[in-house]
Each structure stands twice: as structure tokens, then as C-alpha cells.
Amino acid sequence: MEDKQNLWTKDFIFISIINFFIMIVMYMLIVTIAPFAVEEYGASASMAGLVSGIFIIGTLSARIATGRVIESIGSRRILLIGMVISVVAIALYFTAHSLPVLLLVRFIHGIGLGIASTATGTMVAQIIPPSRRGEGIGYFSLSTVLATAIGPFFGIYLSQHADFTWIFAFSLVLSIIGLGMFFFVDKRPEEAPHEISEPEDAPQGLANYIEKSAIPIAVITLLAGIAYSGVLSFLSFYAKEANLVDTASFFFLVYAVAILVSRPFSGKLLDRKGGTFVVVPSLILFAGGLLLLSQTHTGIILLIAGAIIGLGFGNFQSCAQAIALIGVPIKRIGIATSTFYIFLDFGFGLGPYFLGSVATAFGYRDLYMILSGLIVVALILYLLIGRKKRPVIQ
């Protein structure tokens, strides 16, 4: 009985590390690919934005399809497919000698990441003991959180001290290591080849790709993703405007540390007390952190805002992912995971396009005040439509 409640299994650890490598490559390239397009090909600002954004389009396309296919093919084989596509795509960066080719490679890489990350999220949800689902997903999501801090750091550092080729080489090495680690993940009985027969009452149409019960919390995650995309996309511009460039380089490290410190507690609280006990304080902290960010005039205030935003958005994200899976049958965990990430990706991908206009019209300080208000709206929506009664999947 005790063994069934074990969280830190070999598969859990390896899948988390694989996800970390996948995500660190994603974030490392996100902060460097647009400057690469401008520097190497003389791309305009809008074209450089497209080079960065088309990755998200590829990711979304893959997630929509993967959530459905994963039921019949199995999450382990889907992960292998996604990782192979990612490795091939990263190798193709070396051959991208024109903007059209670079756009195509970015799109393919997005597909690979969308497939692989949906598979890793589904696999950990399947192997985590139900009574520890919130805690387990919280720890697993640290692999993404750490990547959001370490990826941009490595990307910016390499771009300042080496040729862009080294960024692609480092990305390729990490991806190959991740692919190698895949073969240490055990093949579970449910992953054995089998024929899938659709019951007569099987979901049809949109239900094949979207888990209806996950939509309310996914909509709230969309709003939170839009708000956080404003931090990811415009913090460097805001820091330059406020003469805090040196301090800003530590913002995401402080963000990650805040989550590392709080995650062991927030995950257990989610399992024991339910989603509302974690989500409400997290959204309040997120709104407060954005408000503090809008009033930043010194480096210490900027870092405090980073810590508060980490406690807020960082813990909300993992908690929301766990909530999206509450009450979902095992066979639809893949679709529910895909649904959550689709909405999150929309927030990350589309947010900067809309927020750029807001920043131009009102300035960065007002932008973060507006985003703080957006999180208040998200909090109200959660209290109205986003809550689920059971804290874990049954």
C-alpha cells in the first residue's frame, strides 16, 4: 500500500527532467530567435515577431491533435514522436539560411514541443498517486518553472558572448540528452499495442479534442497567461525605461526561487484543502505583484515584485493544471491536459500582440496596472465558474 503512494519514482524523475530539457530549449530560443532574425536576415520587427510567434502556432496545432491521438497511441510513444521531431527541427536550425526556411523550422519545432510536452504532462498525471496529484503536479511543473528562469539566462548569456550557432548547438545537445533519457522510462502495461474500439456513446466533434470540464479553469488560465506574457515580453523594455537593466537580469531567478520555496507547501495544501485554498491567495498575490511592478522605481522593489509574482502565478499555474484534471476519467487525461495547455499557450502566444498596443498607448507602468486588474477579473471568474469540489482525481 505504501508503495502505491510513492511519488518520487524513477519514471516521475526522468519524465520531469525530460520536460525540463524540452522547456529550457524553448525559453532559450524564445528570447534569442527574434534578435537572430533581425541580425542575420535584417528582418523587420513585425517579421521577427512572426518568427517567434509561429512557434506557438505549431505548438497549438500539435496540442489540439495530440490530446485526442494520445488515447489510442499511448503517451509514451507520443513522447518519443515529439522528441524525435524536436531533435530534427533543432538540427535544421543550422540549415536555415533564409527567413522562409527559419519560419518553417520554427513551426516544425513548435509541433515537436507541443506533442512532447502534452505527453509528459499526461504521463505524470497517469503515474502520480491520486491522493498526491496536486503535490505531484506541483513538483513536476517545477521543471517548467526552472526552465523559464534558466532558459532565458543561458540564451541571453550565449547571445552576448558567443555566436548564435552555439545557442543552436547547446539546444541540440540538451534535446539529444533528453531523447536518450526517454529510453530509461518504463513501458507500462497500458502502453502495449492494442486495438481501440470506440463505444457508441464516445464523445464526438469538438469533445474529441477539448475536455469540457476543464474549460472553466482553462479560461482563467488564459487570462493569467496573458498577464504573465506581459512580464515575459516587456520586462526588459520596462527595466530599460526605469534604468534597472542590471537588476532585471535577476528577476526571473528570484521568481524561480520563490516558487521553489513555496511549491512543497502549495501542492500539499491543494491535495488536503482543495483548489480554492491555493488559487484565491495565488491570484491575489499575482495581482499584487503586478501592481507593485507598475510602481517600481528601485532594484529591490523590482526583485520583491518578482518574488510575489512567482508566489502568485507560479503556484496558480500548477494548481490550475491539477484542477483541470479533477474528476476526469483516466482515458481522457490526455485531452484534459491538452485543453489546459491550449488555453495557456493562447495566453502566452496572443498576449504580446495585444499588450504591445496597450504599452504603446499607455506606457509600461499603466500596462502592468491594467494587467493587475485583469487578474482581479480572473479571480472573480474563478469564484463564479472555476471551482471544483474534489481536490484530486478519483
Side-chain angles (χ1 to χ4, degrees):
M1 177 66 69
E2 185 66 27
D3 185 62
K4 291 183 178 179
Q5 299 304 311
N6 184 25
L7 175 62
W8 296 100
T9 61
K10 175 176 69 69
D11 282 357
F12 179 84
I13 293 171
F14 271 87
I15 293 168
S16 297
I17 295 174
I18 289 170
N19 190 71
F20 172 70
F21 285 150
I22 291 170
M23 290 299 177
I24 199 173
V25 169
M26 169 187 167
Y27 284 103
M28 188 162 55
L29 291 177
I30 275 181
V31 299
T32 57
I33 201 67
F36 171 74
V38 172
E39 186 174 316
E40 294 294 318
Y41 308 117
S44 64
S46 59
M47 182 58 69
L50 179 60
V51 169
S52 179
I54 199 170
F55 179 91
I56 301 297
I57 297 174
T59 301
L60 283 170
S61 302
R63 289 202 196 282
I64 292 171
T66 302
R68 170 59 177 163
V69 176
I70 205 169
E71 290 184 35
S72 55
I73 296 180
S75 54
R76 189 174 184 274
R77 283 188 288 275
I78 284 290
L79 176 57
L80 177 59
I81 292 170
M83 295 187 72
V84 169
I85 293 174
S86 294
V87 169
V88 171
I90 294 170
L92 289 175
Y93 279 113
F94 294 98
T95 69
H97 299 304
S98 67
L99 272 175
V101 175
L102 182 61
L103 285 167
L104 177 61
V105 171
R106 287 290 288 167
F107 181 76
I108 296 172
H109 187 191
I111 290 175
L113 181 131
I115 294 173
S117 58
T118 300
T120 54
T122 301
M123 290 175 76
V124 294
Q126 291 170 336
I127 64 177
I128 292 171
S131 63
R132 302 184 69 180
R133 183 134 298 148
E135 181 186 3
I137 289 178
Y139 281 124
F140 168 73
S141 66
L142 281 178
S143 60
T144 298
V145 171
L146 290 174
T148 64
I150 298 173
F153 173 79
F154 275 133
I156 294 172
Y157 180 84
L158 288 173
S159 66
Q160 291 175 342
H161 297 86
D163 187 82
F164 280 106
T165 303
W166 285 99
I167 298 175
F168 300 143
F170 188 43
S171 299
L172 184 59
V173 169
L174 291 179
S175 298
I176 291 174
I177 293 174
L179 179 58
M181 295 183 70
F182 164 85
F183 296 100
F184 291 91
V185 176
D186 291 338
K187 184 176 182 180
R188 298 182 302 281
E190 63 268 25
E191 295 290 353
H194 60 284
E195 294 294 327
I196 298 295
S197 57
E198 291 286 349
E200 293 183 1
D201 61 346
Q204 301 295 323
L206 187 61
N208 276 323
Y209 307 96
I210 298 292
E211 172 56 44
K212 182 179 178 181
S213 68
I215 291 178
I217 191 66
V219 169
I220 296 160
T221 301
L222 168 67
L223 298 180
I226 290 173
Y228 188 64
S229 76
V231 178
L232 279 175
S233 301
F234 303 111
L235 181 67
S236 60
F237 297 103
Y238 179 45
K240 185 176 181 179
E241 181 182 90
N243 295 316
L244 297 172
V245 175
D246 292 338
T247 306
S249 62
F250 294 97
F251 179 93
F252 292 106
L253 291 178
V254 172
Y255 168 93
V257 169
I259 299 175
L260 279 171
V261 171
S262 63
R263 186 58 53 81
F265 307 102
S266 62
K268 291 179 180 178
L269 284 173
L270 171 63
D271 288 327
R272 296 173 183 174
K273 300 290 187 178
T276 299
F277 201 83
V278 179
V279 169
V280 171
S282 295
L283 289 177
I284 291 174
L285 284 168
F286 190 16
L290 289 168
L291 185 61
L292 182 62
L293 184 61
S294 73
Q295 303 303 310
T296 293
H297 292 282
T298 64
I300 187 64
I301 298 299
L302 181 68
L303 296 181
I304 292 174
I308 295 174
I309 290 172
L311 292 173
F313 178 73
N315 284 301
F316 166 79
Q317 182 179 343
S318 63
C319 183
Q321 183 177 350
I323 291 173
L325 304 180
I326 291 175
V328 176
I330 287 293
K331 67 178 182 178
R332 289 185 64 83
I333 282 181
I335 294 178
T337 302
S338 174
T339 300
F340 172 82
Y341 279 120
I342 285 170
F343 280 77
L344 181 63
D345 285 345
F346 262 119
F348 283 167
L350 298 181
Y353 291 102
F354 296 107
L355 299 181
S357 300
V358 175
T360 300
F362 299 98
Y364 296 111
R365 293 190 184 278
D366 287 347
L367 169 66
Y368 291 123
M369 289 186 66
I370 292 170
L371 291 179
S372 178
L374 180 65
I375 298 305
V376 173
V377 172
L379 173 60
I380 294 172
L381 280 177
Y382 174 78
L383 295 173
L384 293 176
I385 67 171
R387 290 182 291 178
K388 289 187 178 182
K389 294 182 180 179
R390 285 176 290 178
V392 296
I393 298 175
Q394 303 297 325

